[in-house]
């Protein structure tokens, strides 16, 4: 159909960018230089513009086609609604273009991004109540928790960092205290931040 034809045209026209399809997703593209996606996106928009239900999602050097009603924003709204969490109690961390939908969809949420975030993400965070970390990547997430999210929601935190292997991965211990509970010891790993507040225990995914 239309998308299959467009994918072929893009592969031919932008071969110099190393543009290619991802092996595990027929409608996802990847390029060697993320800056090249600006021009690619313009060409795509000219083609899919008349099809209002089709949008593109960007994340670094990756771009994929998706339905306008399915993105991080609609997904986060569904989860928050499912658990009865108002958007004003939500914190959103993002660094790429595909995180913008979440920030747009929940304008009352607290926004946070690391220093290596795309400029459009930094602009979005700056326009709302949020925090732009001076640290990149995972360190930016942890710094955002300690100096952005926790103060905003009336919590205090001390983050202890223990550098580990040569890949730069780290182990972190976090001591969290809030005005509503006794001080608790919490551990951050690559999967989630497990917070304990009184008798309650709930996971906060970190992506």
């Amino acid at each position: 159909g239309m998308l299959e034809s467009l994918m072929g045209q893009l592969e031919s026209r932008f071969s110099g960018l190393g543009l290619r399809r991802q092996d595990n997703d027929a409608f996802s593209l990847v390029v060697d230089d993320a800056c090249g996606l600006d021009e690619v996106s313009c060409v795509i928009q000219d083609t899919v513009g008349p099809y209002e239900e089709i949008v593109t999602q960007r994340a670094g050097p990756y771009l994929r086609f998706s339905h306008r009603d399915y993105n991080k924003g609609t997904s986060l709204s569904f989860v928050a609604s499912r658990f009865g969490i108002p958007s004003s109690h939500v914190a959103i961390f993002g660094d790429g273009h595909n995180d913008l939908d979440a920030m747009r969809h929940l304008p009352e949420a607290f926004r946070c991004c690391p220093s290596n975030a795309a400029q459009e993400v930094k602009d979005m965070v700056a326009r709302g109540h949020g925090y732009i970390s001076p640290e990149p990547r995972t360190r930016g997430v942890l710094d955002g928790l300690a100096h952005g999210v926790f103060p905003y929601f009336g919590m205090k935190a001390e983050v202890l960092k223990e550098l580990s292997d040569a890949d730069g991965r780290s182990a972190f211990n976090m001591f969290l205290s809030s005005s509503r509970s006794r001080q608790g010891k919490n551990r951050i790993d690559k999967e989630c931040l497990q917070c304990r507040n009184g008798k309650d225990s709930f996971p906060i995914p970190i992506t």
Side-chain angles (χ1 to χ4, degrees):
M2 181 272 293
L3 286 180
E4 184 65 32
S5 175
L6 175 60
M7 296 288 275
Q9 294 175 29
L10 294 173
E11 287 178 311
S12 175
R13 177 170 177 175
F14 295 103
S15 59
L17 295 176
L19 185 148
R20 58 203 179 276
R21 304 186 204 196
Q22 292 192 70
D23 294 335
N24 59 345
D25 189 338
F27 293 103
S28 289
L29 300 171
V30 60
V31 295
D32 293 335
D33 183 358
C35 294
L37 281 182
D38 291 337
E39 185 178 357
V40 174
S41 296
C42 290
V43 174
I44 290 175
Q45 188 57 42
D46 290 342
T47 303
V48 303
Y51 303 87
E52 296 182 356
E53 70 278 13
I54 299 176
V55 297
T56 57
Q57 297 286 339
R58 290 179 56 179
Y62 302 96
L63 181 148
R64 79 180 312 275
F65 295 93
S66 63
H67 192 280
R68 66 180 179 186
D69 293 336
Y70 298 93
N71 54 59
K72 287 189 176 183
T74 56
S75 299
L76 185 57
S77 292
F78 174 80
V79 173
S81 176
R82 178 68 176 80
F83 289 96
I85 302 173
S87 59
S88 59
H89 291 183
V90 173
I92 300 172
F93 285 79
D95 61 357
H97 295 84
N98 61 335
D99 297 307
L100 292 172
D101 284 322
M103 296 181 183
R104 294 191 189 103
H105 213 80
L106 289 87
E108 296 180 356
F110 184 81
R111 306 166 182 174
C112 190
C113 70
S115 63
N116 64 301
Q119 187 58 49
E120 291 88 342
V121 175
K122 291 181 179 179
D123 293 342
M124 178 70 78
V125 172
R127 285 198 294 270
H129 37 273
Y131 176 79
I132 300 175
S133 173
E135 300 287 341
R137 302 178 177 83
T138 303
R139 290 182 182 275
V141 173
L142 295 169
D143 175 71
L145 285 170
H147 298 105
V149 174
F150 290 160
Y152 181 79
F153 289 107
M155 306 159 106
K156 295 180 181 179
E158 178 185 358
V159 180
L160 303 179
K161 295 176 283 188
E162 301 174 9
L163 297 179
S164 57
D165 56 37
D167 293 331
R169 289 174 296 181
S170 304
F172 299 90
N173 285 321
M174 179 166 290
F175 296 87
L176 170 66
S177 64
S178 73
S179 59
R180 295 170 296 178
S181 65
R182 293 176 298 176
Q183 187 178 62
K185 181 179 179 181
N186 307 279
R187 181 173 180 273
I188 293 180
D189 59 26
K190 65 180 180 180
E191 295 180 352
C192 71
L193 166 68
Q194 188 75 23
C195 293
R196 294 176 178 82
N197 187 353
K199 296 181 180 180
D200 299 324
S201 179
F202 55 95
I204 304 176
I206 296 178
T207 57

